[in-house]
Amino acid sequence: MSENGRPTATIRRVAEAAGVSRATVSRVMNGRSTVAPELAARVLEAARALDYAPSPVARSLALGRTATIALIVPDLANPMFQDVLRGLSQAAGEDGHRLIVAESNENVANEEVLAVEARRRCDGIVLASPRLPTEDLERLAPLLSPLVLINRKLPGTGVPSLSVDHGAGIGDLVAHLLSLGHRRIAYLSGPSASISNQDRVDALLRLSAEGREFELVQLACGATFENGHAMAGAVVETGATAVVAYNDMVAFGALSGLHELGIPIPGRLSITGFDDIPFARYTTPPLTTAAVPKNVLGHQAWTQLSNQLHNNPTQNQATFRPRLLVRGSTGRAPTP
Amino acid sequence: MSENGRPTATIRRVAEAAGVSRATVSRVMNGRSTVAPELAARVLEAARALDYAPSPVARSLALGRTATIALIVPDLANPMFQDVLRGLSQAAGEDGHRLIVAESNENVANEEVLAVEARRRCDGIVLASPRLPTEDLERLAPLLSPLVLINRKLPGTGVPSLSVDHGAGIGDLVAHLLSLGHRRIAYLSGPSASISNQDRVDALLRLSAEGREFELVQLACGATFENGHAMAGAVVETGATAVVAYNDMVAFGALSGLHELGIPIPGRLSITGFDDIPFARYTTPPLTTAAVPKNVLGHQAWTQLSNQLHNNPTQNQATFRPRLLVRGSTGRAPTP
DNA sequence: ATGAAAGCGCTAACAG
DNA sequence: CTGTTAGCGCTTTCAT
């Protein structure tokens, strides 16, 4: 927006140079209605000569839309959001939309202000807000619309929401472990406040109650490598033959801790992660995990937002089933 | 920008409601000059009642600035850029600026268009463009100004540039290895087109020529885990006692490959990485590496951009020296 | 098919 | 201290 070299050409200058009205320039630049070929040529020529390009800001004001959307996440360091960001940026970019990113730093109060403010410069919002109380979210939603939610639902409001089916992922993981003969499984749980952890716990509880095929041992853990690492000893003491970790980081930490204790993996203990972060395939042994389609989520978020922008029908609830990735960290249960 | 619920209040409505002119409302909203307390109160009250907030788009047009900047990177999957993004987003955010991100997908042609287009909606650009030919960059720079370059220099143009001193990093790494008694060092080189690889090679060549303290063996490799993994055998054959890898991914791959060959690390072979990606501390053994201050780069980028926006003097070339992180993957050279 | 004119919502001289 | 006026640059009826 600032001046360097020659001042940026405006539509007025082009109009003068081409000897036509601004309206005509506008029409030509937008390929609108039919302008006499000769005039059109003159305009194009003048535009080229003056190095003219329409001002996006002025267009935004006149049109009432910005061709920009915003992504609001609690934490840009989280691999989950990094990939959603990539997918969203790419998808929106292909449709000629720019992406503004805002990080709330896990600060919920901040998040509200950020979102509302962002919405004013944008045509729509993709919001990942694991912590915001549902009632606040409900109050906010109309202000933010068009809006797409990541891993949050607002039933009955018509706000499209994309979520990962953590339960199904856990189901696949457990089925895999059962097929390998495991009958006593330890769960290294994530942050208790986390909804996604609750999803996992619920699924595990249901599975162990339903089939009674395995015993479940819950261990309070956390979400980090260090948390997982610290639980290695406790895991061994449970006598479990397999451990389901809250996520890949925890699994990785546990793997590392068990390594140090001299426990062979998967010989004596099998271990699974969740997410399929970039490094999951490179641990030793590589991590069996439930891969969350993070990029797809980003793409879908754009699809849903784009639908709203064009007043097309949206899919209110899309659930993404993680894909089971069997790698080296799981094997047959040891025979006692 | 679209309508939900009641149409968004405008400055005009507020003015009418408060019985003042739009100019006064504007003044109050911006804390400008001194408005009679009584009027100010009326305006504020009206604004609150109408749920009014000034339109950023209209302000942008009127003011000629958007309070937005853009970051353009070749690849959002690259941990380097992810962290720069975080740092930049945070720093700019604290100063009330939004961040637009654009990914060129390593497509240089795309990059030019993207950058110029982005510049029109923004007040400034942070550009990471490892591939763009210098002459193109020189032509582009004036159009993009205010501009900050990441890992590229444009000497004599006054364009601020932030770069990592790869040579110094390599110097620290090599000094560390020499102090451990290593006298034959293999370098797993990165993509030959990469300037940062060239920096490293130059430093190594200089070091081995200058002091003649060690022999250098170069091995063409790449930038990925797989590339490093594939070179494990070749590394052993060189008879080197230490390997300096192009980056952490390569080091990690090599580590893994050497592991499979049964080579004790660091007992028989020491190995170093570069970057300090999040997982470097979690490999077995943890990777000795040169930590690039990626977040700081992001923050500094904002500082330099902000200086330009305020017509303050800028620091034209800032070079960031990586920090040597000694971890478990390096040890004393084996005694023959 | 083209131009004149009004308007998007806000800010910034300039008067008073 | 406040209001009037004139833009910022573009789009879009509405006439012609």
Side-chain angles (χ1 to χ4, degrees):
Chain A
M1 309 289 320
S2 94
E3 63 304 312
N4 32 29
R6 300 296 101 227
T8 316
T10 71
I11 196 175
R12 153 169 253 136
R13 289 214 181 308
V14 176
E16 287 166 356
V20 299
S21 75
R22 295 177 248 136
T24 299
V25 176
S26 174
R27 289 194 264 259
V28 171
M29 296 310 289
N30 295 292
R32 273 287 187 295
S33 82
T34 132
V35 174
E38 188 227 1
L39 273 200
R42 282 221 314 266
V43 169
L44 256 13
E45 168 56 23
R48 219 179 35 68
L50 295 174
D51 222 1
Y52 168 76
S55 151
V57 177
R59 294 195 86 227
S60 295
L61 183 58
L63 292 173
R65 52 187 156 78
T66 60
T68 301
I69 63 170
L71 171 67
I72 297 171
V73 299
D75 174 18
L76 278 174
N78 187 323
M80 168 79 187
F81 300 133
Q82 287 171 358
D83 277 2
V84 170
L85 164 58
R86 285 207 304 143
L88 182 61
S89 156
Q90 190 188 333
E94 282 170 4
D95 288 350
H97 282 244
R98 296 291 142 250
L99 177 65
I100 285 183
V101 341
E103 185 182 17
S104 65
N105 288 310
E106 311 277 3
N107 177 343
V108 166
N110 204 7
E111 210 159 79
E112 286 205 31
V113 182
L114 222 62
V116 173
E117 199 269 355
R119 177 59 183 81
R120 308 249 13 225
R121 344 171 81 83
C122 287
D123 301 339
I125 301 272
V126 176
L127 178 64
S129 179
R131 304 275 169 76
L132 194 66
T134 298
E135 50 185 22
D136 291 330
L137 194 52
E138 276 173 339
R139 177 174 45 72
L140 223 51
L143 301 176
L144 299 183
S145 175
L147 171 68
V148 173
L149 258 19
I150 305 277
N151 273 336
R152 286 293 296 259
K153 294 175 186 169
L154 232 37
T157 61
V159 177
S161 122
L162 310 177
S163 353
V164 175
D165 189 343
H166 299 110
I170 289 290
D172 290 347
L173 251 12
V174 167
H176 167 62
L177 291 174
L178 291 178
S179 79
L180 291 171
H182 297 276
R183 291 300 177 261
R184 187 173 172 79
I185 300 178
Y187 175 59
L188 292 178
S189 75
S192 50
S194 149
I195 294 197
S196 74
N197 179 62
Q198 202 49 58
D199 286 353
R200 290 158 166 86
V201 171
D202 291 347
L204 284 165
L205 254 24
R206 193 163 14 83
L207 287 168
S208 70
E210 274 176 8
R212 300 217 153 278
E213 286 181 272
F214 69 98
E215 282 179 295
L216 175 67
V217 189
Q218 284 199 55
L219 260 31
C221 183
T224 68
F225 180 95
E226 282 75 12
N227 296 147
H229 190 269
M231 296 305 291
V235 164
V236 174
E237 285 171 13
T238 64
T241 64
V243 20
V244 171
Y246 168 63
N247 66 13
D248 286 346
M249 285 304 295
V250 168
F252 190 16
L255 198 60
S256 165
L258 291 166
H259 227 64
E260 289 163 16
L261 297 178
I263 313 282
I265 311 283
R268 166 118 169 257
L269 216 43
S270 285
I271 180 163
T272 67
F274 209 109
D275 286 350
D276 192 34
I277 61 179
F279 277 71
R281 62 194 309 174
Y282 297 132
T283 58
T284 13
L287 223 47
T288 290
T289 193
V292 172
K294 310 178 268 299
N295 252 292
V296 177
L297 242 71
H299 272 86
Q300 263 300 314
W302 169 243
T303 303
Q304 295 305 324
L305 206 47
S306 174
N307 281 342
Q308 293 182 68
L309 294 177
H310 297 105
N311 288 320
N312 290 338
T314 60
Q315 187 181 2
N316 278 16
Q317 305 277 358
T319 300
F320 295 81
R321 188 192 185 97
R323 196 158 57 88
L324 176 67
L325 253 34
V326 175
R327 294 198 274 237
S329 68
T330 49
R332 298 212 63 79
T335 44
Chain B
M1 308 291 320
S2 92
E3 63 305 310
N4 32 27
R6 301 296 100 229
T8 315
T10 73
I11 197 174
R12 153 170 253 135
R13 289 212 181 310
V14 176
E16 287 166 357
V20 301
S21 74
R22 294 177 250 136
T24 298
V25 176
S26 173
R27 288 194 266 258
V28 171
M29 296 310 291
N30 295 291
R32 273 287 188 296
S33 84
T34 128
V35 174
E38 189 227 359
L39 274 201
R42 283 219 315 267
V43 169
L44 255 15
E45 169 55 23
R48 219 179 36 68
L50 295 173
D51 223 0
Y52 168 76
S55 151
V57 177
R59 294 194 85 226
S60 296
L61 182 58
L63 291 173
R65 53 189 156 77
T66 60
T68 301
I69 63 170
L71 170 68
I72 297 170
V73 298
D75 174 19
L76 278 175
N78 188 321
M80 167 79 187
F81 300 134
Q82 286 171 358
D83 277 2
V84 171
L85 164 59
R86 285 206 306 141
L88 183 62
S89 155
Q90 191 188 331
E94 283 170 2
D95 288 350
H97 281 243
R98 297 288 144 252
L99 176 65
I100 285 184
V101 342
E103 185 181 19
S104 64
N105 288 310
E106 310 277 3
N107 177 342
V108 167
N110 203 7
E111 210 158 79
E112 287 205 31
V113 181
L114 223 63
V116 174
E117 199 269 356
R119 177 60 183 80
R120 307 250 12 225
R121 344 170 80 83
C122 287
D123 301 339
I125 300 272
V126 176
L127 178 63
S129 179
R131 304 276 169 74
L132 195 66
T134 298
E135 51 185 23
D136 291 331
L137 195 51
E138 276 172 338
R139 177 174 45 72
L140 223 52
L143 302 176
L144 300 184
S145 174
L147 172 67
V148 173
L149 258 21
I150 304 277
N151 273 337
R152 286 293 297 258
K153 294 175 187 169
L154 233 37
T157 59
V159 177
S161 123
L162 309 177
S163 356
V164 175
D165 189 343
H166 299 110
I170 289 290
D172 291 347
L173 252 11
V174 167
H176 168 62
L177 291 174
L178 290 178
S179 79
L180 291 171
H182 296 277
R183 291 299 176 263
R184 186 170 173 83
I185 299 178
Y187 175 59
L188 292 180
S189 74
S192 50
S194 149
I195 294 195
S196 75
N197 179 61
Q198 202 49 58
D199 287 353
R200 289 159 166 86
V201 171
D202 291 347
L204 284 165
L205 255 22
R206 192 162 16 82
L207 288 168
S208 71
E210 274 176 8
R212 301 215 153 279
E213 287 181 89
F214 69 99
E215 280 180 297
L216 176 67
V217 190
Q218 285 198 55
L219 259 31
C221 182
T224 67
F225 178 95
E226 282 76 12
N227 296 148
H229 190 269
M231 295 306 290
V235 164
V236 174
E237 284 172 12
T238 63
T241 64
V243 19
V244 171
Y246 168 64
N247 66 13
D248 287 345
M249 286 302 296
V250 169
F252 190 16
L255 197 60
S256 165
L258 290 166
H259 227 63
E260 289 164 15
L261 296 178
I263 312 283
I265 311 284
R268 167 118 171 255
L269 216 43
S270 285
I271 180 163
T272 67
F274 209 108
D275 286 350
D276 191 35
I277 60 179
F279 278 70
R281 62 194 310 175
Y282 299 131
T283 58
T284 14
L287 223 47
T288 290
T289 193
V292 172
K294 308 178 269 300
N295 253 292
V296 177
L297 242 71
H299 272 87
Q300 263 299 314
W302 168 244
T303 303
Q304 296 304 324
L305 205 48
S306 174
N307 282 342
Q308 293 182 68
L309 294 177
H310 297 104
N311 290 318
N312 291 337
T314 61
Q315 187 181 2
N316 278 17
Q317 305 277 0
T319 301
F320 295 81
R321 188 193 185 96
R323 196 158 56 88
L324 176 66
L325 253 33
V326 175
R327 293 199 275 236
S329 68
T330 48
R332 297 212 63 80
T335 43

